Amino acid sequence: MLESLVTSKTRIKLLLKFFSHANSGYLRALAKEFDESTNSVRVELNRLTEAGLLVSEEDGKTKLYKANQDHPFFTEITNMVSKFLGLDDLMERIVKRMGDVDKAYIIGDYAKGIDSGTVHMILIGKELDTKYLDFIREKTYEKVHRKVEVSILATDPGDIHGILVYGK
């Protein structure tokens, strides 16, 4: 869906990076992460900034880019990116069916805004339905073409680095 609306692969990567999570980035670091030339990344950063979708701030001699949360379409673009990644439906289904989930985190590449093809999740709760996990792994791959790896913890260790997508 997103590929038919946005024809530039670099622009898609930037939208995924900045609108899937509250990420920020520098030109050279983004070029290295995406394995793209700095020129192609610069062109797309400039286009997205001119459109008001990204904002930049000076950080010494470099510019730090991030999504413009004040843009009128910020929420819509974020929702579209989330649907593209299939994470909104995935999280809702897993949390509803697993039992008494206290918290759910996305960690790893997706927490950094990188679409690597594998979604790493941590569910925190007691007496969760582990049999459902095997089922959801297969179904999720069929539906969103991404592998799902889920770890279950009884309690929150307090040092999880990722995005809290469910719970407080």
Side-chain angles (χ1 to χ4, degrees):
M1 171 190 79
L2 203 54
E3 293 97 341
S4 62
L5 293 173
V6 181
T7 55
S8 165
K9 291 187 186 313
T10 303
R11 194 173 316 146
I12 289 174
K13 290 176 185 177
L14 290 169
L15 290 171
L16 290 173
K17 172 80 173 177
F18 293 120
F19 286 89
S20 62
H21 312 293
N23 286 321
S24 59
Y26 299 96
L27 170 64
R28 292 195 188 282
L30 292 166
K32 184 177 180 181
E33 179 180 322
F34 298 155
D35 196 26
E36 302 270 346
S37 72
T38 54
N39 190 49
S40 65
V41 174
R42 179 184 298 111
V43 166
E44 294 304 333
L45 286 170
N46 289 340
R47 286 182 179 155
L48 292 171
T49 302
E50 287 170 14
L53 295 172
L54 297 180
V55 292
S56 65
E57 55 190 53
E58 298 292 325
D59 185 17
K61 292 183 179 182
T62 59
K63 282 186 179 179
L64 179 68
Y65 294 89
K66 59 185 175 182
N68 180 1
Q69 295 183 359
D70 295 327
H71 192 280
F73 295 127
F74 175 79
T75 303
E76 286 80 3
I77 293 171
T78 301
N79 290 339
M80 188 167 61
V81 166
S82 179
K83 286 184 193 307
F84 171 77
L85 294 174
L87 298 180
D88 56 341
D89 184 46
L90 169 67
M91 293 307 303
E92 187 176 321
R93 283 188 292 135
I94 290 176
V95 169
K96 280 184 179 177
R97 296 279 309 268
M98 285 298 297
D100 190 18
V101 176
D102 294 326
K103 294 181 182 180
Y105 290 91
I106 293 179
I107 60 168
D109 288 346
Y110 276 87
K112 297 173 188 169
I114 301 168
D115 184 3
S116 65
T118 301
V119 179
H120 297 275
M121 295 175 54
I122 294 178
L123 299 178
I124 299 171
K126 295 184 171 110
E127 299 179 28
L128 300 182
D129 185 356
T130 55
K131 290 181 184 176
Y132 178 67
L133 278 181
D134 295 331
F135 170 77
I136 197 68
R137 283 183 185 116
E138 288 180 32
K139 289 296 174 188
T140 300
Y141 190 79
E142 290 172 14
K143 184 171 177 145
V144 297
H145 307 292
R146 284 167 183 79
K147 186 177 171 187
V148 178
E149 292 184 5
V150 181
S151 300
I152 295 176
L153 302 174
T155 59
D156 189 345
D159 62 349
I160 296 175
H161 298 287
I163 299 167
L164 179 67
V165 292
Y166 178 81
K168 293 180 183 176

